Amino acid sequence: FPTGTVLAPNEFRVVFADNHPEYNTGTVLHAGFNIGASNGAVVLSQNGRILDYLSYSNMQAGQSFGSYPDGQLFDRQIFYYASPGTSNNPAPVPVAINEWMASNTRTLVDPATGRYDDWFELYNFGTGPVDLSGYYLTDDPATPKKWKVPNGVLLPAHGYLLVWADNDATPGGTNYAGGALHSSFQLAKSGDRVAMYSPGGVPVDILTFGAQTSDVSQGRFPDGNVAGPVVSMNTPTPGTTNIGQGNLHAPVLAAVPNQFIHLGATLHLTLTASDADSPAQHLTYSLNAAPFEASLDPNSGAFTWNSTGASPGTNTVIVSVSDDGTPILSDQKTFSIIVVPKPTVSASNVAAGAFQLNWTAISGVTYRVQWRSDLVTGSWQDLAGDITSTGESASTSISIDNAGQKFFRIIEVQ
């Protein structure tokens, strides 16, 4: 170091290893040597006494190597994000626990054991290779250093790495057998956790999953999207792109009973459906057959039809619901809309002080009787008590007073 070089407490100083010490100016330092691109060492000494040193290997372009936390001398690591002149950045490397199967009974044979073992997959969603040497995998975040990835495991950009959760860390004497890792733990079908940590104990990815279905994998979609949905895949994809929204169950459309309406009335009803897949899929409703001018909201399932232009009779409606899985699955239901003539109204049993108002009706429909004293001014007033028909006719008794003429009407209560 040039005479007078001072490093203040908690200060960082960059030294360019470019073999050009003549470029030294003030605090900008240039060492009189180069260091190896992938392997090498750096030593700090004074009067022949070594104060500190580090050795590195398997480095890739754009990576750095050092201590975390700053100044820690015993467990150094490769950093995906270089941070010259400031605190070392232990930000997780771009690696995700991308797909997993906790109940493998017939899908994939572990070549090192000959068994159908649990497995999970690591995926590098970054643009450069990641050296996983010294990283840790665990099924218990309380024990982050449960199993250490051996040296020399390099995960290329957009590459996949299979990890057998077979509780056999060294099958055949190596834990990197057949191009796959073999961890010292297994996965639980009832639900479990898998986590990855950097050599310095910084979490890279922590995954928690619920109860699993045998021979159905789950994974991120798209690959590496740790903030996105977890999807089920009845066609597992270890070592390649996740296929997306797995589809184990077709949606179920609730049955719609036959509908009866008076000619000229508007029918409103809402279809409902369910889907057992998790996470929940988006369901879309559609009309396969319906009377003219009927409409169905594809998202809410709200069905509407005004029968003004129709004729009395039976109209067939076929509705369906589809999910957005792969492949797309659907369900279909058929119901009828029976249009009956407009109601007819009559009066009977006229007696002192009262009479009975009668009308043709639809069973189960609720009606309301209203009145007004003239048809020009004023507004319709409700008679107390709505009437729900139990058959093809309905009636109500109306008192007669001395208030002059009255007009009556009957409306359906929606």
Side-chain angles (χ1 to χ4, degrees), residues 309-329:
S311 300
T314 300
N315 300 267
T316 299
V317 180
I318 302 175
V319 292
S320 64
V321 63
S322 301
D323 60 25
D324 60 350
T326 303
I328 294 174
L329 299 178

mmCIF file of all heavy atoms in Angstrom, residues 309-329:
data_model
loop_
_atom_site.group_PDB
_atom_site.id
_atom_site.type_symbol
_atom_site.label_atom_id
_atom_site.label_comp_id
_atom_site.label_asym_id
_atom_site.label_seq_id
_atom_site.Cartn_x
_atom_site.Cartn_y
_atom_site.Cartn_z
ATOM 1 N N GLY A 309 -91.203 -10.670 -26.247
ATOM 2 C CA GLY A 309 -91.400 -11.066 -27.636
ATOM 3 C C GLY A 309 -91.620 -12.546 -27.838
ATOM 4 O O GLY A 309 -91.663 -13.019 -28.995
ATOM 5 N N ALA A 310 -91.746 -13.296 -26.756
ATOM 6 C CA ALA A 310 -91.897 -14.744 -26.863
ATOM 7 C C ALA A 310 -93.370 -15.130 -26.973
ATOM 8 O O ALA A 310 -94.270 -14.283 -26.988
ATOM 9 C CB ALA A 310 -91.258 -15.429 -25.657
ATOM 10 N N SER A 311 -93.599 -16.422 -27.039
ATOM 11 C CA SER A 311 -94.960 -16.977 -27.035
ATOM 12 C C SER A 311 -95.065 -17.960 -25.889
ATOM 13 O O SER A 311 -94.044 -18.520 -25.447
ATOM 14 C CB SER A 311 -95.255 -17.677 -28.360
ATOM 15 O OG SER A 311 -95.157 -16.784 -29.453
ATOM 16 N N PRO A 312 -96.260 -18.189 -25.380
ATOM 17 C CA PRO A 312 -96.383 -19.207 -24.327
ATOM 18 C C PRO A 312 -95.845 -20.548 -24.814
ATOM 19 O O PRO A 312 -96.044 -20.943 -25.959
ATOM 20 C CB PRO A 312 -97.889 -19.257 -24.084
ATOM 21 C CG PRO A 312 -98.384 -17.915 -24.487
ATOM 22 C CD PRO A 312 -97.536 -17.521 -25.674
ATOM 23 N N GLY A 313 -95.115 -21.229 -23.940
ATOM 24 C CA GLY A 313 -94.534 -22.507 -24.299
ATOM 25 C C GLY A 313 -93.251 -22.772 -23.536
ATOM 26 O O GLY A 313 -92.895 -22.024 -22.606
ATOM 27 N N THR A 314 -92.551 -23.824 -23.936
ATOM 28 C CA THR A 314 -91.333 -24.250 -23.236
ATOM 29 C C THR A 314 -90.097 -23.866 -24.045
ATOM 30 O O THR A 314 -90.021 -24.122 -25.250
ATOM 31 C CB THR A 314 -91.334 -25.770 -23.005
ATOM 32 O OG1 THR A 314 -92.472 -26.111 -22.199
ATOM 33 C CG2 THR A 314 -90.066 -26.226 -22.303
ATOM 34 N N ASN A 315 -89.134 -23.268 -23.374
ATOM 35 C CA ASN A 315 -87.878 -22.843 -23.994
ATOM 36 C C ASN A 315 -86.726 -23.580 -23.318
ATOM 37 O O ASN A 315 -86.599 -23.551 -22.086
ATOM 38 C CB ASN A 315 -87.677 -21.339 -23.843
ATOM 39 C CG ASN A 315 -88.786 -20.536 -24.490
ATOM 40 O OD1 ASN A 315 -88.693 -20.136 -25.630
ATOM 41 N ND2 ASN A 315 -89.870 -20.308 -23.730
ATOM 42 N N THR A 316 -85.886 -24.245 -24.104
ATOM 43 C CA THR A 316 -84.763 -25.007 -23.567
ATOM 44 C C THR A 316 -83.515 -24.127 -23.474
ATOM 45 O O THR A 316 -83.176 -23.412 -24.422
ATOM 46 C CB THR A 316 -84.452 -26.229 -24.450
ATOM 47 O OG1 THR A 316 -85.610 -27.073 -24.476
ATOM 48 C CG2 THR A 316 -83.263 -27.008 -23.904
ATOM 49 N N VAL A 317 -82.840 -24.204 -22.327
ATOM 50 C CA VAL A 317 -81.599 -23.456 -22.108
ATOM 51 C C VAL A 317 -80.504 -24.452 -21.734
ATOM 52 O O VAL A 317 -80.706 -25.289 -20.846
ATOM 53 C CB VAL A 317 -81.765 -22.410 -20.989
ATOM 54 C CG1 VAL A 317 -80.453 -21.647 -20.781
ATOM 55 C CG2 VAL A 317 -82.898 -21.460 -21.312
ATOM 56 N N ILE A 318 -79.369 -24.373 -22.423
ATOM 57 C CA ILE A 318 -78.203 -25.201 -22.097
ATOM 58 C C ILE A 318 -77.073 -24.257 -21.711
ATOM 59 O O ILE A 318 -76.679 -23.388 -22.498
ATOM 60 C CB ILE A 318 -77.779 -26.084 -23.282
ATOM 61 C CG1 ILE A 318 -78.943 -26.989 -23.722
ATOM 62 C CG2 ILE A 318 -76.568 -26.936 -22.904
ATOM 63 C CD1 ILE A 318 -78.636 -27.813 -24.968
ATOM 64 N N VAL A 319 -76.557 -24.408 -20.500
ATOM 65 C CA VAL A 319 -75.488 -23.548 -19.991
ATOM 66 C C VAL A 319 -74.284 -24.419 -19.626
ATOM 67 O O VAL A 319 -74.416 -25.605 -19.329
ATOM 68 C CB VAL A 319 -75.947 -22.744 -18.765
ATOM 69 C CG1 VAL A 319 -76.994 -21.726 -19.164
ATOM 70 C CG2 VAL A 319 -76.498 -23.668 -17.682
ATOM 71 N N SER A 320 -73.108 -23.815 -19.677
ATOM 72 C CA SER A 320 -71.892 -24.551 -19.323
ATOM 73 C C SER A 320 -70.944 -23.649 -18.556
ATOM 74 O O SER A 320 -71.052 -22.419 -18.606
ATOM 75 C CB SER A 320 -71.196 -25.097 -20.583
ATOM 76 O OG SER A 320 -70.751 -24.049 -21.411
ATOM 77 N N VAL A 321 -70.012 -24.274 -17.857
ATOM 78 C CA VAL A 321 -68.951 -23.562 -17.152
ATOM 79 C C VAL A 321 -67.637 -24.259 -17.474
ATOM 80 O O VAL A 321 -67.573 -25.482 -17.546
ATOM 81 C CB VAL A 321 -69.214 -23.534 -15.625
ATOM 82 C CG1 VAL A 321 -69.223 -24.931 -15.026
ATOM 83 C CG2 VAL A 321 -68.190 -22.655 -14.914
ATOM 84 N N SER A 322 -66.591 -23.472 -17.700
ATOM 85 C CA SER A 322 -65.270 -24.000 -18.035
ATOM 86 C C SER A 322 -64.229 -23.391 -17.118
ATOM 87 O O SER A 322 -64.350 -22.231 -16.703
ATOM 88 C CB SER A 322 -64.911 -23.681 -19.497
ATOM 89 O OG SER A 322 -65.857 -24.228 -20.385
ATOM 90 N N ASP A 323 -63.191 -24.170 -16.780
ATOM 91 C CA ASP A 323 -62.088 -23.630 -15.992
ATOM 92 C C ASP A 323 -60.968 -23.184 -16.931
ATOM 93 O O ASP A 323 -61.094 -23.273 -18.158
ATOM 94 C CB ASP A 323 -61.602 -24.636 -14.949
ATOM 95 C CG ASP A 323 -61.108 -25.944 -15.568
ATOM 96 O OD1 ASP A 323 -60.703 -25.930 -16.749
ATOM 97 O OD2 ASP A 323 -61.131 -26.983 -14.883
ATOM 98 N N ASP A 324 -59.865 -22.717 -16.361
ATOM 99 C CA ASP A 324 -58.738 -22.264 -17.180
ATOM 100 C C ASP A 324 -57.522 -23.154 -16.964
ATOM 101 O O ASP A 324 -56.382 -22.712 -17.061
ATOM 102 C CB ASP A 324 -58.393 -20.803 -16.881
ATOM 103 C CG ASP A 324 -58.000 -20.558 -15.429
ATOM 104 O OD1 ASP A 324 -58.181 -21.472 -14.602
ATOM 105 O OD2 ASP A 324 -57.536 -19.455 -15.109
ATOM 106 N N GLY A 325 -57.767 -24.426 -16.648
ATOM 107 C CA GLY A 325 -56.676 -25.366 -16.445
ATOM 108 C C GLY A 325 -56.145 -25.921 -17.757
ATOM 109 O O GLY A 325 -56.550 -25.532 -18.848
ATOM 110 N N THR A 326 -55.187 -26.835 -17.638
ATOM 111 C CA THR A 326 -54.617 -27.518 -18.794
ATOM 112 C C THR A 326 -54.720 -29.011 -18.565
ATOM 113 O O THR A 326 -54.061 -29.544 -17.681
ATOM 114 C CB THR A 326 -53.132 -27.147 -18.994
ATOM 115 O OG1 THR A 326 -53.017 -25.731 -19.131
ATOM 116 C CG2 THR A 326 -52.580 -27.816 -20.237
ATOM 117 N N PRO A 327 -55.601 -29.727 -19.314
ATOM 118 C CA PRO A 327 -56.494 -29.195 -20.341
ATOM 119 C C PRO A 327 -57.688 -28.503 -19.703
ATOM 120 O O PRO A 327 -57.985 -28.707 -18.534
ATOM 121 C CB PRO A 327 -56.919 -30.443 -21.102
ATOM 122 C CG PRO A 327 -56.910 -31.511 -20.047
ATOM 123 C CD PRO A 327 -55.738 -31.198 -19.155
ATOM 124 N N ILE A 328 -58.400 -27.709 -20.513
ATOM 125 C CA ILE A 328 -59.608 -27.047 -20.022
ATOM 126 C C ILE A 328 -60.698 -28.092 -19.803
ATOM 127 O O ILE A 328 -60.955 -28.927 -20.664
ATOM 128 C CB ILE A 328 -60.082 -25.977 -21.033
ATOM 129 C CG1 ILE A 328 -59.048 -24.844 -21.117
ATOM 130 C CG2 ILE A 328 -61.453 -25.431 -20.647
ATOM 131 C CD1 ILE A 328 -59.349 -23.827 -22.184
ATOM 132 N N LEU A 329 -61.319 -28.049 -18.623
ATOM 133 C CA LEU A 329 -62.416 -28.959 -18.301
ATOM 134 C C LEU A 329 -63.690 -28.155 -18.083
ATOM 135 O O LEU A 329 -63.639 -26.975 -17.710
ATOM 136 C CB LEU A 329 -62.079 -29.784 -17.059
ATOM 137 C CG LEU A 329 -60.834 -30.683 -17.166
ATOM 138 C CD1 LEU A 329 -60.584 -31.402 -15.853
ATOM 139 C CD2 LEU A 329 -60.979 -31.682 -18.298
#
